Amino acid sequence: MSDATLHATDQNPDDFAVQIADQIESFLVAVTEVAKGDEPESAVPFLLLEVSQLLLAGGRLGAHEDIVPDERYEPDSGPEPDVDELRENLVRLLDPIDVYSEVFDPYEPRKAPVPARISDDLADVITDLRHGMSHYRAGRTTEALWWWQFSYFSNWGSTASATLRALQSVLAHVRLDQPLAELDGLDTDQGMGDDTLEFEAGRVMVEEIAHPLGIRPAK
């Protein structure tokens, strides 16, 4: 299946694989467009919408019975496309809200929050999704669905969920006129506990985020 036939009219639009592939393709295209930075004022709301829609596809994959690939070993899908440029564009676009704190596994007790970056998360998710899309475009539909389901549980599902919480939090702070702390000195390479994260945060007023992103705070 080539790029030209990805959305061929003879495919059944009600088919599970077609619907999942369409949702994933839409996310890949949308985030790539956002990363270009042509409309920075709508970046955060648009990313919130796209990640939310992607997680609907993830939920469907997660609720589906285990998908078994046709072949015992995964076929070679070729070199992975480079995402460094997209990641760097997102870093510039999302400053100063790129860094946030996340609890990696809510079911592991006494785990302290760790610093993360929305830009890293989105690039990581896109890498997983593109890998499955390479199988889908090559006509290996079951392989693609298996990969998307497996990587949803092992990586991109939790990563996208954390990103969604961060994006939703930004908009909530802005719309509810609640000042955010300053992300000064917060390093994603350091392991930090709650107190350290709170101390490092400092202060950034909502206006510093709302105005550049074109978001109007609540009155």
Side-chain angles (χ1 to χ4, degrees), residues 5-82:
T5 59
L6 179 60
H7 304 294
T9 56
D10 59 346
Q11 291 181 273
N12 183 355
D14 294 328
D15 184 77
F16 178 77
V18 173
Q19 293 176 357
I20 295 297
D22 282 348
Q23 287 182 282
I24 288 175
E25 178 73 3
S26 176
F27 176 82
L28 294 173
V29 171
V31 176
T32 301
E33 288 299 312
V34 170
K36 293 178 180 178
D38 295 336
E39 299 182 23
E41 69 282 353
S42 61
V44 170
F46 198 61
L47 287 173
L48 177 71
L49 177 62
E50 291 301 324
V51 176
S52 298
Q53 292 177 333
L54 174 66
L55 284 170
L56 173 59
R60 295 182 66 192
L61 285 164
H64 197 281
E65 62 184 6
D66 287 348
I67 298 168
V68 180
D70 296 327
E71 301 180 34
R72 181 176 180 182
Y73 299 103
E74 182 183 4
D76 184 8
S77 59
E80 299 289 349
D82 183 40

Side-chain angles (χ1 to χ4, degrees), residues 20 125 177 202 208 211 217:
I20 295 297
V125 169
D177 198 15
E208 294 185 38
H211 291 175

Side-chain angles (χ1 to χ4, degrees), residues 86-168:
L86 180 141
R87 186 197 319 271
E88 292 167 2
N89 288 341
L90 288 171
V91 169
R92 289 190 292 269
L93 180 65
L94 297 173
D95 181 66
I97 60 162
D98 193 24
V99 180
Y100 69 98
S101 61
E102 167 64 5
V103 176
F104 182 70
D105 189 338
Y107 282 99
E108 290 190 24
R110 297 179 295 281
K111 288 290 184 179
V114 296
R117 287 185 179 272
I118 297 174
S119 55
D120 287 342
D121 289 350
L122 290 174
D124 196 23
V125 169
I126 283 177
T127 297
D128 274 349
L129 298 180
R130 282 179 175 174
H131 184 85
M133 187 60 72
S134 66
H135 287 307
Y136 186 78
R137 287 172 173 158
R140 298 187 291 267
T141 301
T142 304
E143 192 75 33
L145 289 173
W146 168 80
W147 172 258
W148 284 328
Q149 186 187 61
F150 167 76
S151 56
Y152 169 76
F153 285 123
S154 63
N155 185 46
W156 73 261
S158 58
T159 302
S161 297
T163 305
L164 179 66
R165 289 194 296 273
L167 293 167
Q168 190 274 340

